[in-house]
């Protein structure tokens, strides 16, 4: 586990952050608190600040863990043997959320899977992090075929690229709560699923589950989270080896599977909302 002295140092630094003393911190805190207040109207402002600090702590710990050196200390919840069997047998679509130390999943796939994978990212992330990402890959000295590739979700042909990468033997790792994909804009038809989440009406994209059905590949959902001593846990909440066995229609499957995965996220956030990074962008999903 990460050294307790390092964790304590980060905690102490964050505890002194007062959002009203800096325009940048104030802007982030207002977004966080406003969205949190909608989902948890009974919670006091003092609790908002406590959860804000815990969210910042989680973000800082994630950055410290980003080199994957703590990967062997992850605690797994769920059928890990089944997961590894599927991942080392068939290309799959692996869904996760921006919770806990979510970036460790990328390192897990690199170290424990014989099949390579692609990352579905926004154009903004691809442009800002590609140089640093490439440098880290060089340090890992991976064979060219096993190195991750990126697919830009905003690109008009992102779905086509995914459908080509899966038969070519590449997993896809993607964030369900990330950007809404290529089909958006003032003239685009909104095909997102409407559901209740933390008591609020939201719209979420269902394309990942839809593509798993169309491609005939397993759909997997893993949710990262932290326990009280800051240890990383990975909860395997869904392994669907053959989506077509559940629903013959890809749209029906996508809607049901996506709603189920958001219910799993909700179970975590009801008690520990600070585990989720996406409070700052929550308004993009609200109806």
């Amino acid at each position: 586990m990460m050294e307790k002295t390092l964790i304590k140092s980060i905690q102490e630094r964050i505890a002194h952050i007062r959002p009203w003393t800096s325009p940048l911190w104030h802007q982030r805190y207002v977004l966080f608190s406003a969205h949190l207040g909608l989902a948890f109207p009974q919670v006091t402002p003092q609790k908002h600040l406590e959860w804000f600090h815990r969210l910042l702590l989680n973000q800082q710990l994630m950055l410290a863990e980003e080199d994957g050196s703590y990967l062997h200390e992850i605690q797994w919840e769920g059928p890990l043997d089944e997961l590894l069997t599927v991942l080392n047998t068939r290309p799959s679509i692996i869904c996760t959320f921006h919770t806990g130390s979510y970036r460790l999943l990328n390192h897990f796939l690199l170290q424990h899977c014989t099949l390579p994978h692609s990352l579905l990212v926004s154009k903004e992330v691809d442009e800002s992090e590609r140089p640093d990402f490439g440098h880290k890959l060089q340090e890992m000295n991976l064979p060219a075929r096993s190195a991750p590739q990126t697919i830009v979700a905003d690109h008009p042909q992102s779905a086509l690229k995914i459908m080509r990468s899966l038969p070519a033997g590449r997993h896809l790792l993607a964030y369900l709560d990330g950007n809404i994909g290529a089909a958006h804009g003032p003239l685009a038809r909104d095909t997102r699923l409407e559901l209740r989440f933390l008591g609020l009406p939201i719209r979420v994209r269902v394309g990942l589950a839809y593509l798993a059905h169309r491609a005939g590949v397993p759909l997997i959902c893993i949710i990262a989270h932290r326990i009280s001593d800051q240890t990383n846990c990975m909860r395997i909440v869904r392994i669907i080896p053959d989506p077509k066995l559940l629903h013959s229609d890809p749209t029906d499957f996508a809607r049901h599977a996506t709603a189920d995965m958001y219910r799993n996220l909700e179970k975590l956030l009801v008690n520990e909302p600070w585990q989720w990074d996406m409070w700052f962008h929550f308004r993009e999903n609200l109806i």
Side-chain angles (χ1 to χ4, degrees):
M1 189 177 72
M2 187 180 298
E3 293 182 8
K4 291 183 179 180
T5 53
L6 176 58
I7 296 175
K8 186 177 180 180
S9 172
I10 296 174
Q11 286 175 321
E12 290 175 349
R13 187 167 68 248
I14 288 173
H16 290 91
I17 292 176
R18 295 293 180 266
W20 46 88
T21 62
S22 159
L24 178 61
W25 283 124
H26 183 259
Q27 181 184 34
R28 288 177 65 78
Y29 179 73
V30 166
L31 281 173
F32 173 80
S33 183
H35 295 145
L36 200 68
L38 292 175
F40 300 92
Q42 75 283 4
V43 174
T44 65
Q46 289 80 4
K47 201 68 176 178
H48 286 204
L49 183 59
E50 176 190 331
W51 284 345
F52 183 66
H53 283 159
R54 295 194 71 175
L55 185 150
L56 296 181
L57 173 62
N58 181 68
Q59 289 180 331
Q60 290 300 308
L61 293 177
M62 180 177 66
L63 291 174
E65 297 160 347
E66 199 168 3
D67 63 356
S69 57
Y70 299 95
L71 193 64
H72 64 286
E73 297 178 353
I74 290 176
Q75 293 186 15
W76 286 88
E77 301 173 357
L80 180 57
D81 289 341
E82 180 185 354
L83 175 68
L84 290 171
T85 298
V86 172
L87 290 179
N88 285 300
T89 305
R90 302 172 60 195
S92 309
I93 291 182
I94 305 145
C95 299
T96 190
F97 295 94
H98 290 86
T99 56
S101 197
Y102 53 84
R103 293 192 177 191
L104 282 179
L105 268 177
N106 182 46
H107 288 281
F108 171 76
L109 293 176
L110 287 172
Q111 294 190 25
H112 293 278
C113 292
T114 55
L115 296 178
H117 69 279
S118 300
L119 291 166
L120 186 66
V121 298
S122 68
K123 180 181 178 182
E124 192 176 339
V125 169
D126 188 55
E127 291 177 347
S128 64
E129 298 191 14
R130 180 187 287 272
D132 188 47
F133 185 58
H135 178 68
K136 289 176 181 176
L137 289 177
Q138 287 179 352
E139 290 180 341
M140 295 176 72
N141 196 28
L142 294 169
R145 174 166 168 73
S146 65
Q149 297 178 353
T150 56
I151 296 177
V152 177
D154 316 68
H155 194 280
Q157 293 187 321
S158 59
L160 179 61
K161 291 181 178 181
I162 292 170
M163 292 296 285
R164 287 175 174 171
S165 70
L166 292 165
R170 280 190 171 271
H171 297 299
L172 178 74
L173 175 60
Y175 300 99
L176 272 176
D177 54 351
N179 57 76
I180 63 174
H184 62 278
L187 301 179
R189 184 169 66 92
D190 194 339
T191 59
R192 289 178 293 170
L193 170 67
E194 294 185 8
L195 51 80
R196 301 290 295 185
F197 179 71
L198 295 171
L200 300 172
I202 65 171
R203 289 191 182 99
V204 299
R205 60 190 179 99
V206 299
L208 294 171
Y210 181 88
L211 291 175
H213 190 287
R214 288 294 302 271
V217 301
L219 179 69
I220 296 167
C221 181
I222 301 172
I223 298 181
H225 66 105
R226 292 188 189 277
I227 58 177
S228 57
D229 65 351
Q230 308 305 334
T231 297
N232 285 301
C233 290
M234 295 288 177
R235 182 176 298 155
I236 305 164
V237 297
R238 286 287 181 282
I239 300 178
I240 304 176
D242 189 349
K244 294 182 180 181
L245 291 179
L246 293 182
H247 293 273
S248 59
D249 181 73
T251 300
D252 285 345
F253 170 76
R255 295 171 68 86
H256 283 89
T258 301
D260 284 345
M261 289 186 283
Y262 267 90
R263 278 192 284 271
N264 286 114
L265 173 65
E266 186 177 49
K267 288 177 183 177
L268 172 65
L269 300 187
V270 162
N271 295 314
E272 299 176 333
W274 54 269
Q275 298 258 14
W276 196 36
D277 262 9
M278 297 304 288
W279 287 111
F280 302 113
H281 307 281
F282 193 42
R283 68 183 182 278
E284 298 167 13
N285 296 97
L286 286 170
I287 297 176

